[in-house]
Amino acid sequence: AFQVRLNYYVQTGKLIRVRRGIYAKDKKYDKYEFATKILRPSYISFESVLGAAGITFQYYSQIFIASYVKRELVCDGQAYSFKKMKVALLNNPAGINQAGEYAIASKERAFLDTIYRNKNYYFDNLTPLDWDKVFNILPIYNNKKMTKKVQEYYERYKATKYT
């Protein structure tokens, strides 16, 4: 009976089927909330957060999500890029903010997630970062090479800050 009612609402336009098992009332649904409902556990991170914070200047139309699998999807014309992270990291709340119905990384956590996935990433502007927060979150990755890399970014930031 429930499935019949759902189908009725979709056919009459009262609901939109965005993806199997996920419905919205209208086209104005929150894309970030939808992204984190596709695969769980997951949270918004990487370029989606870095771009909004002004740390990267390149615009990406897709939404980047930290997840337990790597996957590329397009739903309702929006591209979603899921990047694989260890489950222990996904479940660690350090630097993750609950924004209403979805979880989103702080700019510091997104910065670290990006280095975790790509050791030689180019960041346009490191000024928005709170380096105390970066170094507080860093131990959750338990990765010596990554710690060294973050230290290099920090040294580069300090060198450019005072010139």
Side-chain angles (χ1 to χ4, degrees):
F2 181 71
Q3 194 59 48
V4 172
R5 189 171 289 148
L6 265 179
N7 288 338
Y8 169 77
Y9 285 130
V10 169
Q11 286 166 354
T12 57
K14 288 185 171 55
L15 276 182
I16 298 163
R17 180 177 290 139
V18 187
R19 185 174 161 82
R20 193 176 78 210
I22 303 174
Y23 299 84
K25 285 188 271 189
D26 56 41
K27 288 278 189 191
K28 293 187 210 116
Y29 63 89
D30 189 320
K31 302 273 195 278
Y32 281 5
E33 181 183 343
F34 171 67
T36 59
K37 293 216 184 311
I38 299 170
L39 297 170
R40 289 183 175 202
S42 63
Y43 60 89
I44 307 297
S45 188
F46 308 105
E47 288 85 350
S48 294
V49 174
L50 297 174
I55 295 168
T56 57
F57 299 153
Q58 175 72 39
Y59 172 75
Y60 295 95
S61 60
Q62 73 260 50
I63 294 172
F64 294 92
I65 309 106
S67 177
Y68 61 93
V69 289
K70 181 183 186 322
R71 191 166 291 162
E72 303 291 325
L73 298 173
V74 176
C75 292
D76 199 21
Q78 173 65 57
Y80 297 91
S81 182
F82 293 86
K83 300 195 181 276
K84 186 177 167 104
M85 303 282 282
K86 286 183 190 160
V87 173
L89 287 173
L90 283 176
N91 291 329
N92 192 313
I96 306 283
N97 305 315
Q98 196 62 40
E101 295 296 318
Y102 62 89
I104 186 165
S106 65
K107 56 188 179 276
E108 292 79 14
R109 174 74 182 249
F111 169 74
L112 291 168
D113 284 349
T114 303
I115 296 169
Y116 174 79
R117 297 271 310 136
N118 183 350
K119 301 287 182 268
N120 294 312
Y121 195 90
Y122 178 77
F123 298 95
D124 297 297
N125 174 22
L126 296 175
T127 312
L129 290 174
D130 177 332
W131 287 96
D132 289 338
K133 288 181 183 173
V134 169
F135 287 111
N136 282 338
I137 299 167
L138 184 58
I140 72 168
Y141 296 89
N142 194 18
N143 184 321
K144 286 185 176 70
K145 276 188 179 155
M146 184 177 158
T147 301
K148 193 173 166 213
K149 194 72 193 172
V150 169
Q151 194 62 47
E152 287 172 25
Y153 281 114
Y154 181 59
E155 296 303 327
R156 200 173 314 147
Y157 160 75
K158 283 197 313 193
T160 57
K161 186 180 171 200
Y162 300 112
T163 54

